[in-house]
Amino acid sequence: MKRINSHERDFVLLTGACGFVGRYLLRDLLLSGRQLAVVVRSRGRHSAIARVEKVLAFCEETAGRPFPMPRVIDWDLCDTATDGINRDELDWLTQNVTSVLHSAASVRFTLDSKAGEPFASNVGGTRRLLDLATEIGPIDFHHVSTAYVCGDRRVTAFENETTLPTFKNVYEESKFLAEEQLREAAHEFKSLTIYRPSIVVGDSKTGYASAFQTIYGGLRLASTMPEGHRNDVESLLEWLGISGKATKNLVPVDWVSRAIVEILKQPILHNKTYHLTNPKDVTVANLAAAMVRAIQKETDHWQSMKSSTSEFFATDDIKRVFLDSFQNYFSNDPVFDRNQIIAALPKLAVPEMSSERLERMFQYAIRQKFMEADHTFNPSTNDRTGSIASSTDKIILPNRTPVFPVAWSLTIFDEPARSESRSESTRKLHYSFESSRSSLDQCGDDQMPQVFVRRDALDLLVSGEATCESAMRSGQLVVMGPADLLNIAILQFRECLDSPFGQALLADDGLSNLSFEDNLSLCGLGGER
């Protein structure tokens, strides 16, 4: 679609525009007529502008109309090694920005000691944006937090409450600390408005989601259940180790975005804290029932997904990584006070999380194999061909591969830039790491551990912005092979990421500077990050 040029000087500075909630905020702000600047970091080979173009295409497709290209500020809020935004950009922001909407966040529930997440993003990133906002001048600051800053609450959680609670995980703590530092600096702003959504799930009309965390983890783990038990709600609950009596508070992403934009548009509603929560909870038993129905209706997609994950979950240790990441989300939620959000938006009803809506949401996740709709990665094809690639290219990276005790293979699903001379389909790059120990070098291809990873996920893994555990949970990293070698393969993959080979991939000089037509073979000597 043809882009529209923007001229007015009343800009909202949005962070997190490439995220799940952020892309809806981007669309709805543009629909409301607001002019936008977005803070987006370049990621691996993907420039900030290219990432915004991709999200803007989603906005235009779902809205059915063209939008102006936002002003793109290429800046990593978590990069403390740089000085921040340059002088020219700062001058432009000072002259044009009147509001900041901070939706960027790390949704990580266990501490990554190496990257410092989620505190690096949620506390440090908020601090840097706060500093930028004070340099810009008096502005309205809008912050997307979480209803779970209330911590392990057994009674009503109030919208205005700021008491230090007991936290169930580091994500809740990091978001609480982010709120605290904003309140301490509130005198620097014209207003400070805080939005606290509960568990954000797929679109109320389509089920669309670009991230599949929290409750979606239960659906993914269901693929490990024995045959004959997946049609039984009680068996599913027992397998997941959760109680069907607990209640959860779910809100569709489209409603969350619309509520934020409606409040942002009306200055009289600023300077308050709002619980963006659902007045009606959903029982975990109803969630499990919706999962079962979705599995039944998506049998073909489910079997395809199951074949790629059943061996991956073969050990209890790996299964525990998934269980630990979402089980807190299946404990009882508190009652969330909604007085202020009801008074502000009395006519904006929260869509009921009906059985049909939940089912549609889970069906979408299964069809997408827990990945964004515009990606075609499908690790379930054992023959490395299938419908996901037109060719498998073997390339060589001399002197860049570490030595490992177990033979294994790495397949990267890479989406090349569009051009007239090259296929637009997903390309698979395949590396074989041979063993340095002859005693373990006798297994055939069908016994060799296989690691499948998406190229954009690999960028995050090498740079430390994501962990193997989070990539496994989201389905962007899949490991297959004999059960007794899976953990070893994961450890070897992590070590590979820290090697010069991994750094070469991040810098892109290992991919773009080699001819894909050469079809050379790599024999590296084939172990954690």
Side-chain angles (χ1 to χ4, degrees):
M1 295 186 180
K2 184 178 179 181
R3 298 276 184 245
I4 303 168
N5 292 323
S6 41
H7 301 288
E8 296 181 12
R9 294 189 172 186
D10 182 18
F11 282 71
V12 176
L13 180 64
L14 172 67
T15 70
C18 296
F20 181 25
V21 175
R23 66 188 57 203
Y24 276 82
L25 291 171
L26 179 66
R27 183 194 68 182
D28 292 346
L29 284 166
L30 290 170
L31 280 171
S32 74
R34 292 303 299 261
Q35 304 297 322
L36 292 182
V38 293
V39 172
V40 175
R41 61 189 172 192
S42 296
R43 178 174 284 178
R45 301 177 307 151
H46 308 293
S47 69
I49 291 177
R51 295 183 67 206
V52 174
E53 283 279 5
K54 180 178 177 181
V55 174
L56 197 62
F58 159 83
C59 297
E60 293 177 333
E61 179 181 350
T62 55
R65 52 160 288 185
F67 287 122
M69 180 67 179
R71 172 96 177 201
V72 179
I73 311 295
D74 188 349
W75 185 37
D76 185 351
L77 285 170
C78 300
D79 185 4
T80 58
T82 61
D83 294 331
I85 293 177
N86 63 48
R87 188 73 247 176
D88 290 342
E89 291 284 20
L90 182 58
D91 288 344
W92 184 90
L93 291 170
T94 302
Q95 295 170 17
N96 291 278
V97 169
T98 58
S99 301
V100 169
L101 175 52
H102 183 32
S103 73
S106 168
V107 186
R108 181 181 174 85
F109 305 106
T110 57
L111 180 64
D112 181 344
S113 57
K114 182 173 182 178
E117 294 293 1
F119 296 99
S121 293
N122 299 346
V123 182
T126 300
R127 176 76 253 177
R128 298 194 84 199
L129 185 65
L130 188 162
D131 292 340
L132 173 65
T134 56
E135 283 196 71
I136 292 174
I139 51 95
D140 294 304
F141 199 108
H142 299 261
H143 177 66
V144 182
S145 184
T146 175
Y148 298 96
V149 293
C150 66
D152 192 11
R153 183 65 58 89
R154 304 300 179 188
V155 294
T156 300
F158 293 96
E159 286 172 298
N160 286 328
E161 200 165 358
T162 59
T163 306
L164 180 67
T166 300
F167 300 108
K168 290 185 291 186
N169 54 60
V170 291
Y171 171 70
E172 295 175 353
E173 183 181 3
S174 69
K175 296 298 280 184
F176 180 90
L177 294 174
E179 281 194 19
E180 268 202 332
Q181 63 183 359
L182 286 172
R183 287 196 179 88
E184 290 172 0
H187 62 279
E188 301 280 358
F189 311 133
K190 289 173 60 179
S191 66
L192 172 61
T193 308
I194 296 176
Y195 308 92
R196 293 175 175 173
S198 54
I199 301 175
V200 182
V201 295
D203 190 288
S204 64
K205 300 179 182 64
T206 65
Y208 169 87
S210 63
F212 300 95
Q213 298 163 313
T214 63
I215 61 171
Y216 291 99
L219 179 65
R220 183 168 178 81
L221 195 61
S223 65
T224 69
M225 291 184 66
E227 293 291 343
H229 290 272
R230 290 182 212 99
N231 295 334
D232 182 341
V233 174
E234 290 303 318
S235 294
L236 177 58
L237 292 172
E238 182 180 357
W239 186 260
L240 296 174
I242 56 181
S243 168
K245 296 180 180 179
T247 57
K248 302 310 302 171
N249 196 285
L250 312 181
V251 282
V253 62
D254 51 319
W255 179 84
V256 169
S257 175
R258 186 177 173 192
I260 292 173
V261 172
E262 285 297 319
I263 292 173
L264 187 146
K265 286 162 48 180
Q266 304 179 59
I268 195 173
L269 301 178
H270 296 178
N271 238 5
K272 293 182 174 67
T273 298
Y274 296 99
H275 273 160
L276 304 186
T277 56
N278 202 314
K280 186 175 181 180
D281 288 345
V282 177
T283 67
V284 171
N286 284 342
L287 280 173
M291 289 180 189
V292 167
R293 290 193 302 273
I295 291 170
Q296 292 171 341
K297 290 187 176 181
E298 299 294 334
T299 301
D300 292 342
H301 289 95
W302 181 257
Q303 290 301 325
S304 174
M305 182 178 69
K306 177 184 177 298
S307 67
S308 71
T309 56
S310 57
E311 287 186 285
F312 170 64
F313 284 109
T315 67
D316 288 338
D317 287 344
I318 297 176
K319 190 180 297 182
R320 177 55 50 188
V321 170
F322 281 70
L323 281 169
D324 289 345
S325 71
F326 70 83
Q327 272 191 329
N328 276 338
Y329 272 81
F330 289 95
S331 61
N332 229 25
D333 275 352
V335 174
F336 294 106
D337 164 42
R338 303 184 74 251
N339 285 334
Q340 294 190 160
I341 189 63
I342 291 172
L345 303 174
K347 296 182 179 180
L348 188 62
V350 186
E352 180 184 358
M353 297 308 299
S354 63
S355 297
E356 293 76 16
R357 191 161 273 136
L358 291 170
E359 187 179 312
R360 182 165 58 244
M361 180 180 76
F362 291 133
Q363 281 184 267
Y364 180 88
I366 294 171
R367 289 193 197 115
Q368 294 304 134
K369 295 183 174 66
F370 300 93
M371 303 207 319
E372 285 189 48
D374 51 353
H375 290 288
T376 55
F377 171 59
N378 180 355
S380 65
T381 51
N382 255 332
D383 59 2
R384 297 181 176 81
T385 55
S387 61
I388 57 176
S390 59
S391 65
T392 297
D393 299 304
K394 296 182 179 180
I395 64 179
I396 184 167
L397 295 178
N399 303 319
R400 288 177 176 163
T401 55
V403 176
F404 299 119
V406 174
W408 64 293
S409 70
L410 169 63
T411 302
I412 303 167
F413 292 79
D414 183 66
E415 295 190 3
R418 295 175 182 267
S419 70
E420 295 180 359
S421 60
R422 183 175 291 177
S423 168
E424 295 181 5
S425 63
T426 300
R427 175 179 288 104
K428 298 198 301 181
L429 308 173
H430 183 68
Y431 305 85
S432 293
F433 296 89
E434 294 181 350
S435 172
S436 60
R437 291 164 52 183
S438 58
S439 61
L440 292 175
D441 197 27
Q442 305 303 318
C443 58
D445 287 343
D446 59 333
Q447 294 295 311
M448 179 186 294
Q450 304 166 54
V451 177
F452 301 88
V453 64
R454 270 176 36 180
R455 182 55 169 75
D456 51 352
L458 185 65
D459 289 341
L460 300 181
L461 289 165
V462 176
S463 65
E465 297 176 60
T467 64
C468 288
E469 289 79 8
S470 65
M472 292 174 196
R473 286 194 294 268
S474 65
Q476 296 177 321
L477 171 64
V478 174
V479 183
M480 300 172 63
D484 58 338
L485 295 182
L486 288 179
N487 283 333
I488 297 175
I490 294 170
L491 294 176
Q492 293 184 161
F493 175 64
R494 286 170 168 168
E495 186 171 326
C496 180
L497 296 178
D498 277 342
S499 72
F501 173 84
Q503 296 303 317
L505 291 177
L506 182 63
D508 198 26
D509 60 350
L511 297 177
S512 61
N513 293 343
L514 292 170
S515 169
F516 288 105
E517 287 70 40
D518 286 345
N519 200 28
L520 301 174
S521 63
L522 168 65
C523 287
L525 292 176
E528 170 167 330
R529 180 168 183 177

